[in-house]
Structure formats: C-alpha cells, structure tokens
Amino acid sequence: MTADKDGMRGICAGGSRDTSMISIRHLCKEYPGVTPLRDVSVEIKKGEVISIIGPSGTGKSTLLRCINLLETPTKGEITVGGVVTTDKKCKVNLVRRKMGMVFQSFNLFAHKTIIENIMMGQVDLLLRSRQEAYDRGMELLRTIGLADKALAYPDELSGGQKQRAAIARTVAMEPEIILFDEPTSALDPTMVGEVLSVIRGLAGQGMTMMIVTHEMKFARDVSTRIFYMDEGGIYEDGTPEQIFEHPKRERTRIFIRQLKVLHVENLTRGFDFPAFMTQLEEFGRKQQLSQRQIYTMQLAVEEALMLKLLPAAGEAGKMDISVDVEYSEREELVQMRFSYSGPSFHPFGSEEDLSGRMIKGISKKMEHKYADGVNHFVISI
Amino acid sequence: MVINMKITKTQNGNSLCLALEGRLDTNTAPELENAIKGSIDGVGELTIDMTALDYLSSAGLRVLLGTQKIMNKQGSMRVTHVNDTIMEIFEVTGFADILTIEKA
C-alpha cells in the first residue's frame, strides 16, 4: 500500500472537490421502530482519517455498513469514487473492492491459517498468483510483528493478534479506504494498544480511514476529522481540536466531558421546591457526591433560583429559566448552570448580599455571562 | 430525604431550648420564626440545638439574626451542636462572629 502522490497533493491543497472519495446525500436508514440515521449528508476526502464517536445506538456502525452496502439505505444516495453505489444497477462487488472493512469480531476463517486468510482474497479477487499473494502477506505480517504466526490457525492467536491479522488481510486487498467498526471493542484491555498502533501506522502512511471507536485518546491523536454522531445524524463534524477542546454543541460537550446531567426547565414561581431538593439529593447520591457537594447544590438552587431569579422573573415577566446540573467525574466538578432570558442580570450582583456571600464562600467559582439576550450563570462546586 | 423541619421545645424556668430537626430553608424558616415569637417572652437563655439539623440556608440565617437581636436585649443565645457543613455556612457569612456557636 503506497500513498497516492496525486491524492496527497490534493489534500495538501486544502481538499478541493475533486479529491472527494465518498459523497453521502440525505442518507436515511430505518428499521422497524427505530431510525438510526435520519438525514446524513457528508463528503469524505482522500487521505482523511475520520473517527466516528458518540453514544451507543446513534447509528455509527450503521453509517459504515451503509457505505459498504452491508445495509441497504432506506433513502438517500452514496457515491464512491464517482460511482453511485445506491443505484440498483451498481456492481456492488466492484465497489466493495475499493473498501476494506475491519469488524469487531475479526471474521477470520477458522479452518485456514493466518497466511491463507490473507492470501485468499488476493488470489480470488485481485487474481494475484499464490506466490505474489504469499509474499505480500508475509511482508504485511512482518510489519505488524506476526510473521512467526503465519502458519498458525486463528484460534491459536490472542484477540489482539487476530485483529492485527484481520487488518493485514484487509490491507493486502489494496483498498482505497478502510472502514473500522469498533476494532478494539471485543478485546481484552491489554490488547487494545497493539491494534491501535497498527491503525496508527496506516494513518501515518496516508491511508483513508473511517473508524468507529470508543477510544477517545486514540481518536484525538490519530484523526484528521471527528464525526460526533447523535440524534440520527452527524451532530458535530470538526477537527479533533474543535470537537475535543471546543465543542460547539451541547450534546457533544456532554459526551466529550462524560458529564452526568440533571436538566430542569420551565422553572416558574410555583415550581415544586421540595421535590427539586429531593431530585438533587438523589442525583448526588447516584453520582456518589459528598454530602457537602449535595448541600452546596441545594443551596445554590435555593439562594440563586428561589431567592433571586424567580422573584426577578416575577417582576420582569417570563424569563424561561432552566437549570442544568452537570457532574464531571474526571474533573471532580459539579456545575450548576442557570440559563434565563431577559436583561443582563447577575443574581448575586450586590456585594453585601447574604445569599451571594454564602455561595461565593462555599463554591469554587461563580461566573455570569450575557449573550444574545440569554443569561448564563454558572456555579462551580 | 426529610423535606420539612421539626421543632422540639423544652422550657426550664427562664431557659428555652429549641431543637431543630431536618431542614431550615425558605419553606420552613417562617415556622421557626413563629415558634420563637410565640415563646420568647421572658426567656433569658435561649439555646438553638442543631444536632439533627441537616440544612441551613440564608432564610434560616435571617431568622437566627433577628432572634439574636431580640436576645441581646433580654438575655443570651447559644447555637449548639453545629455540624461541619453548617459551621462552614456560619463562617463564610460572618455569622460565626455574631452568634455564640458550639460545634458538634
């Protein structure tokens, strides 16, 4: 597998339209009772390494399987290298030959040795001689440190070795793009690293890849682009830096920071205060927060919401007050995020205010921002 | 979670002890205020026992401050058995300097 020089030049020039390898338009995939993909439109360019991340059941694997035509899209169009693959007259096998797929469960033939597994496709589909196929196979096995396993059967290999061999088999077919469907999810944690390093090596050689993964650090390091999938589509699409450091959208931020969230909206004067206190306590207990953290959350709601925001809303009319309680286990941080409309208003604007002194004294930080007619008041605990 | 407050009064001559249990917040502070108003006449030593108090907000602090002002004229007031979390509230608000507090 060698990097296509023309292709690389195209990428360096900023990825003009003619470098588009896969083009997806209004892709929809429905199953009875569930629609993992509602409306996906995206372009994938040569040389891109795209990690697809997101919660379970958000269509990540379905997207890959639609691209590879392992699933028939319900609606929409997919073009691969200028060929419309969703067209009924399309020769699926020819298109599939351009695309390799690596599965969670390796899918090696158990009754064939590792080298035979790698040779088969080359001989049957690429029409290489057995010698050529063997030589190429051994070359690949050597690069991933499995040359001594060439004559072993898959069952004699560890999970990590099996997956590396499966990747070698895919690469031997000289695909233009490789689709990885959770390649490390079935592995013992100690074997994840060896498989990721093989994928990392391919990225270094300029291979175009789409990788569905839950390995966030890997996705961040190896990718040129990240798709965060949620709500039936590509919810946010950006560079690793954009997605991991500065996600623009709410659900991306919650996923990336692994936040546990309690959301309460439409708060008005008549809201059930004791019930909210109970809800906060239950949320805190579930996340194993300390009694002091729970106390501070409750105090923040009482002092900021009950004593300041709701009375202010009473005077100024409706303020659309909502509260998000977000807990990041990794950062050991609770944030109470109050959002409300109306003019700019800091609940504890006055220095002498007793409520403000309390919250300032027992919280880590208070911040008030006002943008586009919406107040954002955040108490960090 | 207890969402209300229970007040137990114990009178001994001119000393009165109010033991608070549960939560002293916006909803329950008026109860304490009424209980104090109704029984403070002639009291020379007032004790607010916080052994079983889990939560105290600014609404509760305001009642305590008002009560302290009354007791300044007619005797003394102590707040006892204050747990660490509530003690922190007294400290950050400066109430630790105004009230006579005994920690748990």
Side-chain angles (χ1 to χ4, degrees), chain A residues 281 285 289-296 298, chain B residues 54 85:
Chain A
E281 174 137 0
R285 290 247 164 101
L289 301 185
S290 69
Q291 201 55 46
R292 186 189 177 280
Q293 283 171 309
I294 295 173
Y295 188 110
T296 310
Q298 293 179 333
Chain B
D54 302 322
T85 322

Side-chain angles (χ1 to χ4, degrees), chain A residues 169-230:
Chain A
R169 177 183 59 178
T170 304
V171 173
M173 297 301 292
E174 319 293 347
E176 290 174 23
I177 181 170
I178 304 181
L179 311 175
F180 293 86
D181 190 4
E182 302 199 27
T184 60
S185 296
L187 300 177
D188 184 290
T190 58
M191 295 169 185
V192 170
E194 64 193 65
V195 172
L196 295 183
S197 85
V198 171
I199 302 174
R200 210 181 288 262
L202 291 172
Q205 293 167 42
M207 175 60 87
T208 311
M209 299 191 280
M210 293 178 79
I211 310 157
V212 173
T213 185
H214 293 287
E215 299 289 336
M216 293 299 136
K217 191 180 176 307
F218 168 77
R220 186 187 193 134
D221 293 349
V222 83
S223 315
T224 56
R225 191 175 173 193
I226 307 280
F227 291 170
Y228 171 71
M229 291 194 65
D230 206 332

Side-chain angles (χ1 to χ4, degrees), chain A residues 273-274 277-278 281 291-292 295 298-299 302-303 306-307 353-355 357-358 361-362, chain B residues 1 3 23 25-27 54-59 61-62 85-86 88-89 92-93 95:
Chain A
F273 172 66
M277 291 287 113
T278 308
E281 174 137 0
Q291 201 55 46
R292 186 189 177 280
Y295 188 110
Q298 293 179 333
L299 207 56
E302 178 168 350
E303 304 298 334
M306 286 287 281
L307 298 179
D353 182 77
L354 182 58
S355 299
R357 282 215 311 271
M358 282 174 102
I362 63 167
Chain B
M1 186 182 83
I3 56 164
R23 301 172 70 82
D25 61 17
T26 307
N27 278 5
D54 302 322
Y55 179 92
L56 170 70
S57 72
S58 66
L61 288 177
R62 288 193 180 91
T85 322
I86 292 178
E88 198 183 349
I89 299 291
V92 299
T93 51
F95 272 61

Side-chain angles (χ1 to χ4, degrees), chain B residues 8-18 38-45:
Chain B
T8 309
K9 286 188 203 179
T10 316
Q11 187 119 26
N12 190 355
N14 77 339
S15 27
L16 172 70
C17 176
L18 298 177
S39 51
I40 203 168
D41 278 356
V43 170
E45 277 179 34

Side-chain angles (χ1 to χ4, degrees), chain A residues 137-148:
Chain A
M138 286 308 294
E139 184 191 345
L140 287 167
L141 284 177
R142 272 192 293 275
T143 63
I144 57 170
L146 283 181
D148 61 336

Side-chain angles (χ1 to χ4, degrees), chain B residues 23-93:
Chain B
R23 301 172 70 82
L24 179 51
D25 61 17
T26 307
N27 278 5
T28 59
E31 281 174 50
L32 178 64
E33 198 170 13
N34 290 336
I36 289 170
K37 270 185 191 160
S39 51
I40 203 168
D41 278 356
V43 170
E45 277 179 34
L46 176 68
T47 305
I48 310 276
D49 183 349
M50 296 196 168
T51 306
L53 191 71
D54 302 322
Y55 179 92
L56 170 70
S57 72
S58 66
L61 288 177
R62 288 193 180 91
V63 176
L64 292 177
L65 185 63
T67 310
Q68 179 69 57
K69 282 180 183 165
I70 297 170
M71 290 312 295
N72 282 345
K73 292 175 196 155
Q74 64 186 59
S76 63
M77 171 173 141
R78 289 184 309 148
V79 181
T80 64
H81 301 103
V82 174
N83 72 31
D84 288 346
T85 322
I86 292 178
M87 193 61 212
E88 198 183 349
I89 299 291
F90 284 136
E91 278 163 1
V92 299
T93 51

